[in-house]
Amino acid sequence: MNEPLPVTRVTDQGTAKLMPDVDRDRAWLLTVDGAPQSYVDLDAPEHLEFEYARRLGHVLDTVAAPGRALDVLHLGGGALTLPRYVAVTRPGSRQDVVEADRGLLDLVAEQLPLPADSRIALHAADARAWVEAAPDASADVLVADVFGGSRVPAHLTTLAYAREAERVLRADGVYVANLADGAPFAFLRSQLATFAAVFEELALIAEPGVLRGRRFGNAVLVAAHRPVGTADLARLTAADAFPARVEHGPALRRFIGDARPVTDADAVPSPEPPDGAFGIG
């Protein structure tokens, strides 16, 4: 049997590389310009290798009764890790994936094809433009995992964008975003302030070392108009290989401090990660 070989392709927004995992059959790592973007195991799509993906998965697991089908809008495609996860953990879910890099979508669809019955629709489009055109109350969950290189684009950080996301979600819908920052957390605090201005409930999931400012890392923001199951999330994230903390309520308000919501006029991308922050060991 032939060993799978790496695949490299210049796409619309960078150089994408798919590398087979020597320890797991039919498992692949996707990097873009050398930065790890996604990991997917085609034989076990419920396996989430990256810690931030596991935390996003925990949110998806707790937003509704186990196995209940959901309408999910994913901003950012990567190797379609989370859409594949939802398809197997919540069969019958309808999912839309919006990815600005058409070449990347084509590469992933060609090399790591979706099952025919996955009910995952792929769209090459700008994430904010797609959200602004989406119908009211059309999604149960909106997952934002959009990085231009290693930075969240500025136009996906603003109050106007948050209001559009809230409009697209149903009354009990949940917004969840993968963000990245380090001390003094100007970007992360501003994002929390922005979404706190639109949603009634907020939670933040991150490793204690990141929250204490010891290193740069991912942080998952959860926003809704209903309680977001922080006790369940705390239990699940504490059991991970790299345990995380769930901040909410007064502790989160203290973390936000005097940060203000972001307008379109003053929006900036998330900070450039330090060298090696997201590298492959």
Side-chain angles (χ1 to χ4, degrees), residues 186-209:
F187 175 77
L188 187 55
R189 292 178 204 268
S190 75
Q191 286 307 282
L192 290 162
T194 299
F195 282 83
V198 176
F199 290 92
E200 295 170 42
E201 298 282 341
L202 222 60
L204 184 71
I205 308 169
E207 286 180 37

Short mmCIF file of all heavy atoms in Angstrom, two decimals, residues 186-209:
data_model
loop_
_atom_site.label_atom_id
_atom_site.label_comp_id
_atom_site.label_asym_id
_atom_site.label_seq_id
_atom_site.Cartn_x
_atom_site.Cartn_y
_atom_site.Cartn_z
N ALA A 186 -5.24 43.77 25.08
CA ALA A 186 -6.04 44.87 24.53
C ALA A 186 -7.05 44.35 23.51
O ALA A 186 -8.22 44.77 23.50
CB ALA A 186 -5.12 45.91 23.88
N PHE A 187 -6.63 43.43 22.66
CA PHE A 187 -7.54 42.89 21.64
C PHE A 187 -8.64 42.06 22.28
O PHE A 187 -9.84 42.24 22.01
CB PHE A 187 -6.76 42.05 20.63
CG PHE A 187 -7.65 41.37 19.62
CD1 PHE A 187 -8.20 42.08 18.56
CD2 PHE A 187 -7.93 40.02 19.73
CE1 PHE A 187 -9.03 41.45 17.64
CE2 PHE A 187 -8.77 39.39 18.81
CZ PHE A 187 -9.32 40.11 17.76
N LEU A 188 -8.27 41.11 23.14
CA LEU A 188 -9.25 40.21 23.73
C LEU A 188 -10.27 40.98 24.58
O LEU A 188 -11.48 40.73 24.50
CB LEU A 188 -8.54 39.15 24.58
CG LEU A 188 -9.39 38.02 25.14
CD1 LEU A 188 -10.17 37.31 24.04
CD2 LEU A 188 -8.51 37.03 25.91
N ARG A 189 -9.80 41.93 25.38
CA ARG A 189 -10.72 42.73 26.19
C ARG A 189 -11.68 43.51 25.31
O ARG A 189 -12.88 43.62 25.61
CB ARG A 189 -9.93 43.69 27.09
CG ARG A 189 -9.11 43.02 28.19
CD ARG A 189 -8.35 44.10 28.96
NE ARG A 189 -7.17 43.59 29.61
CZ ARG A 189 -7.13 43.13 30.87
NH1 ARG A 189 -8.23 43.09 31.58
NH2 ARG A 189 -5.99 42.70 31.38
N SER A 190 -11.17 44.05 24.22
CA SER A 190 -12.04 44.84 23.33
C SER A 190 -13.09 43.94 22.67
O SER A 190 -14.23 44.36 22.45
CB SER A 190 -11.22 45.56 22.27
OG SER A 190 -10.77 44.67 21.25
N GLN A 191 -12.72 42.69 22.36
CA GLN A 191 -13.69 41.77 21.78
C GLN A 191 -14.77 41.40 22.78
O GLN A 191 -15.96 41.34 22.45
CB GLN A 191 -12.98 40.51 21.28
CG GLN A 191 -12.18 40.72 20.01
CD GLN A 191 -13.04 41.36 18.93
OE1 GLN A 191 -13.84 40.70 18.28
NE2 GLN A 191 -12.90 42.66 18.74
N LEU A 192 -14.38 41.17 24.01
CA LEU A 192 -15.36 40.87 25.05
C LEU A 192 -16.29 42.06 25.27
O LEU A 192 -17.51 41.89 25.41
CB LEU A 192 -14.65 40.49 26.34
CG LEU A 192 -13.93 39.14 26.31
CD1 LEU A 192 -12.91 39.05 27.43
CD2 LEU A 192 -14.94 38.00 26.41
N ALA A 193 -15.74 43.27 25.29
CA ALA A 193 -16.57 44.47 25.45
C ALA A 193 -17.53 44.62 24.28
O ALA A 193 -18.70 45.00 24.46
CB ALA A 193 -15.67 45.70 25.57
N THR A 194 -17.06 44.32 23.08
CA THR A 194 -17.90 44.44 21.89
C THR A 194 -19.08 43.49 21.95
O THR A 194 -20.23 43.88 21.72
CB THR A 194 -17.05 44.15 20.63
OG1 THR A 194 -16.01 45.12 20.54
CG2 THR A 194 -17.90 44.20 19.37
N PHE A 195 -18.83 42.23 22.28
CA PHE A 195 -19.91 41.25 22.30
C PHE A 195 -20.79 41.39 23.54
O PHE A 195 -21.99 41.06 23.49
CB PHE A 195 -19.35 39.84 22.12
CG PHE A 195 -19.02 39.55 20.68
CD1 PHE A 195 -17.81 39.96 20.14
CD2 PHE A 195 -19.93 38.93 19.85
CE1 PHE A 195 -17.51 39.75 18.81
CE2 PHE A 195 -19.65 38.72 18.52
CZ PHE A 195 -18.43 39.13 17.98
N ALA A 196 -20.24 41.93 24.62
CA ALA A 196 -21.05 42.20 25.81
C ALA A 196 -22.06 43.31 25.54
O ALA A 196 -23.11 43.39 26.20
CB ALA A 196 -20.15 42.58 26.98
N ALA A 197 -21.76 44.17 24.57
CA ALA A 197 -22.69 45.25 24.22
C ALA A 197 -23.88 44.75 23.41
O ALA A 197 -24.88 45.46 23.26
CB ALA A 197 -21.94 46.33 23.42
N VAL A 198 -23.78 43.50 22.89
CA VAL A 198 -24.81 42.96 22.01
C VAL A 198 -25.53 41.78 22.64
O VAL A 198 -26.74 41.62 22.49
CB VAL A 198 -24.19 42.54 20.65
CG1 VAL A 198 -25.22 41.88 19.75
CG2 VAL A 198 -23.57 43.75 19.97
N PHE A 199 -24.80 40.93 23.37
CA PHE A 199 -25.36 39.71 23.94
C PHE A 199 -25.46 39.82 25.46
O PHE A 199 -24.61 40.44 26.10
CB PHE A 199 -24.49 38.50 23.58
CG PHE A 199 -24.54 38.12 22.12
CD1 PHE A 199 -23.62 38.65 21.22
CD2 PHE A 199 -25.50 37.23 21.66
CE1 PHE A 199 -23.67 38.30 19.87
CE2 PHE A 199 -25.55 36.88 20.31
CZ PHE A 199 -24.63 37.41 19.42
N GLU A 200 -26.46 39.16 26.04
CA GLU A 200 -26.69 39.23 27.48
C GLU A 200 -25.71 38.36 28.27
O GLU A 200 -25.36 38.69 29.41
CB GLU A 200 -28.12 38.81 27.80
CG GLU A 200 -29.18 39.75 27.25
CD GLU A 200 -30.58 39.15 27.37
OE1 GLU A 200 -30.87 38.56 28.43
OE2 GLU A 200 -31.35 39.26 26.41
N GLU A 201 -25.32 37.23 27.69
CA GLU A 201 -24.47 36.28 28.41
C GLU A 201 -23.15 36.10 27.65
O GLU A 201 -23.14 36.03 26.42
CB GLU A 201 -25.17 34.92 28.52
CG GLU A 201 -26.46 34.94 29.30
CD GLU A 201 -26.23 34.95 30.79
OE1 GLU A 201 -25.12 34.59 31.23
OE2 GLU A 201 -27.17 35.30 31.52
N LEU A 202 -22.07 36.01 28.42
CA LEU A 202 -20.74 35.90 27.83
C LEU A 202 -19.91 34.93 28.66
O LEU A 202 -20.03 34.88 29.89
CB LEU A 202 -20.06 37.28 27.86
CG LEU A 202 -19.28 37.74 26.63
CD1 LEU A 202 -20.17 37.82 25.41
CD2 LEU A 202 -18.67 39.12 26.91
N ALA A 203 -19.05 34.17 27.99
CA ALA A 203 -18.08 33.32 28.69
C ALA A 203 -16.80 33.30 27.87
O ALA A 203 -16.81 33.57 26.66
CB ALA A 203 -18.62 31.91 28.88
N LEU A 204 -15.69 33.01 28.54
CA LEU A 204 -14.39 32.94 27.89
C LEU A 204 -13.69 31.67 28.36
O LEU A 204 -13.62 31.41 29.57
CB LEU A 204 -13.55 34.17 28.25
CG LEU A 204 -12.19 34.28 27.56
CD1 LEU A 204 -12.38 34.60 26.08
CD2 LEU A 204 -11.33 35.34 28.24
N ILE A 205 -13.16 30.90 27.41
CA ILE A 205 -12.47 29.65 27.73
C ILE A 205 -11.01 29.79 27.29
O ILE A 205 -10.73 30.05 26.12
CB ILE A 205 -13.10 28.45 26.99
CG1 ILE A 205 -14.61 28.40 27.23
CG2 ILE A 205 -12.45 27.15 27.43
CD1 ILE A 205 -15.33 27.40 26.33
N ALA A 206 -10.09 29.61 28.23
CA ALA A 206 -8.67 29.71 27.90
C ALA A 206 -7.86 29.00 28.98
O ALA A 206 -8.32 28.80 30.10
CB ALA A 206 -8.22 31.16 27.78
N GLU A 207 -6.63 28.64 28.62
CA GLU A 207 -5.74 28.03 29.60
C GLU A 207 -5.36 29.06 30.67
O GLU A 207 -5.18 30.25 30.36
CB GLU A 207 -4.47 27.51 28.92
CG GLU A 207 -4.69 26.24 28.12
CD GLU A 207 -3.41 25.76 27.47
OE1 GLU A 207 -2.35 25.88 28.09
OE2 GLU A 207 -3.49 25.28 26.32
N PRO A 208 -5.21 28.62 31.92
CA PRO A 208 -4.84 29.55 32.98
C PRO A 208 -3.57 30.33 32.67
O PRO A 208 -3.48 31.53 32.97
CB PRO A 208 -4.65 28.63 34.20
CG PRO A 208 -5.53 27.46 33.92
CD PRO A 208 -5.49 27.26 32.44
N GLY A 209 -2.57 29.69 32.06
CA GLY A 209 -1.32 30.37 31.73
C GLY A 209 -1.52 31.53 30.77
O GLY A 209 -0.83 32.55 30.85
#
